[in-house]
């Protein structure tokens, strides 16, 4: 029995339609029928979460959201609370995706507040961390990832242990440029060591996913690395057969 059960989550980003979602989830559920060797989730745009929660019924596929408000409720026009997500069958919430950090100005402190709000609602946060190419070239990968991680670790290691970490090098997202297994494993080991400094139990148990151009043809090698516990998959999660093959690579 592996130390940590592997986990593959699809991040659909701002893609989909009622018709396309129906086809995608049906294809996925059928391709993954009887598959129980890893946890699988799909993170859909908020508006489609009730639809997707209905579509995955009878399968082992869990539903995730891509973002949530750090606030419990009130005058926050346009926002969606964690409690609202929970009402619609959501189990996971991605927090701090690099697109939200870069395009919507989310700070480490805000991401940590979102992480805490997701946990408080009884949901499982998926905390994204990762460096840009400029940061990697400036040998700042560890400093950047440490800063992103520490903001959440400051909530307490036990809190971090209630979630999942996803290392997503920004330069590998949507570019077709996957991190090599050595590059990915090195950062995953760094993340786990940083958690270990606070809690051996959390460091041992917490799942650290890799994200950034994960495809069926590179998933197995990535998932075989000792500190890579699955994947957070963007583009390839929009194709049922491709995503199912990635899930099976995590077995
Ligand atoms: P791609 O798999 O399309 O590179 O996206 C990765 C990602 O951002 C998942 O959250």
């Amino acid at each position: 029995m592996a130390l940590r059960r592997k986990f593959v989550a699809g991040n659909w980003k701002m893609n989909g339609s009622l018709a396309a979602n129906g086809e995608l989830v049906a294809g996925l559920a059928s391709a993954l029928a009887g598959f129980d060797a890893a946890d699988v989730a799909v993170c859909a745009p908020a508006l489609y979460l009730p639809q997707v929660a209905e579509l995955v019924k009878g399968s082992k596929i869990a539903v995730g959201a891509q973002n949530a408000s750090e606030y419990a409720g009130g005058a926050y026009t346009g926002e969606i609370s964690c409690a609202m997500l929970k009402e619609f069958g959501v189990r996971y919430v991605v927090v701090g995706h690099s697109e939200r950090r870069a395009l919507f100005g989310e700070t480490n402190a805000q991401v940590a507040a979102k992480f805490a709000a997701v946990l408080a609602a009884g949901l499982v946060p998926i905390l994204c961390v990762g460096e840009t190419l400029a940061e990697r070239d400036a040998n700042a990968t560890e400093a950047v990832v440490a800063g992103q991680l520490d903001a959440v670790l400051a909530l307490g290691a036990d809190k971090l242990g209630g979630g999942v970490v996803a290392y997503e090098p920004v330069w590998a997202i949507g570019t077709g440029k996957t991190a090599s297994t050595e590059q990915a494993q090195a950062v995953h080991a760094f993340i786990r060591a940083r958690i270990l400094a606070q809690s051996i139990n959390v460091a041992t148990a917490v799942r650290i996913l890799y994200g950034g151009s994960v495809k069926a043809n590179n998933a197995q090698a990535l998932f075989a690395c000792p500190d890579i516990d699955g994947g957070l998959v963007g583009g390839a999660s929009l194709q049922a057969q491709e995503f199912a093959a990635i899930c099976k690579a995590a077995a």
Side-chain angles (χ1 to χ4, degrees):
M1 170 94 179
L3 194 56
R4 293 174 291 271
R5 185 171 160 85
K6 287 206 165 33
F7 177 31
V8 179
N11 174 7
W12 294 358
K13 307 193 179 181
M14 198 172 75
N15 293 292
S17 66
L18 289 172
N21 302 344
E23 208 173 307
L24 177 55
V25 176
L28 191 58
S30 117
L32 290 178
F35 177 79
D36 190 30
D39 293 334
V40 175
V42 291
C43 303
L47 197 54
Y48 292 127
L49 289 168
Q51 181 207 12
V52 174
E54 200 56 40
L55 288 168
V56 299
K57 276 192 182 150
S59 80
K60 294 210 153 63
I61 303 166
V63 180
Q66 300 171 11
N67 182 35
S69 174
E70 63 269 47
Y71 303 110
Y76 300 102
T77 302
E79 292 292 278
I80 294 174
S81 75
C82 297
M84 293 172 187
L85 294 174
K86 192 175 186 190
E87 273 204 301
F88 284 93
V90 167
R91 174 165 166 73
Y92 298 96
V93 183
V94 176
V95 299
H97 190 279
S98 63
E99 287 149 19
R100 296 215 57 87
R101 293 177 188 265
L103 304 172
F104 302 101
E106 290 190 9
T107 62
N108 284 342
Q110 190 180 8
V111 171
K114 288 183 182 225
F115 189 101
V118 174
L119 271 187
L123 302 177
V124 181
I126 301 175
L127 168 69
C128 298
V129 299
E131 82 288 0
T132 63
L133 188 57
E135 290 163 343
R136 173 164 284 263
D137 288 346
N139 282 322
T141 297
E142 292 192 351
V144 169
V145 169
Q148 294 168 336
L149 191 64
D150 288 356
V152 174
L153 268 175
L155 301 170
D158 57 316
K159 290 275 197 314
L160 183 76
V164 174
V165 179
Y167 169 57
E168 298 205 308
V170 177
W171 49 272
I173 294 177
T175 57
K177 243 198 265 174
T178 320
S180 68
T181 50
E182 292 77 14
Q183 286 172 322
Q185 166 57 26
V187 180
H188 281 239
F190 170 77
I191 292 169
R192 202 176 300 283
R194 199 156 184 99
I195 301 168
L196 187 83
Q198 295 210 8
S199 166
I200 294 177
N201 288 346
V202 171
T204 307
V206 76
R207 293 185 288 192
I208 308 176
L209 314 182
Y210 168 79
S213 298
V214 176
K215 309 288 176 206
N217 64 12
N218 59 27
Q220 202 156 14
L222 286 161
F223 298 168
C225 294
D227 289 298
I228 300 182
D229 306 307
L232 183 56
V233 184
S237 73
L238 298 170
Q239 296 163 332
Q241 296 309 317
E242 179 83 6
F243 187 61
I246 294 170
C247 296
K248 288 178 181 171

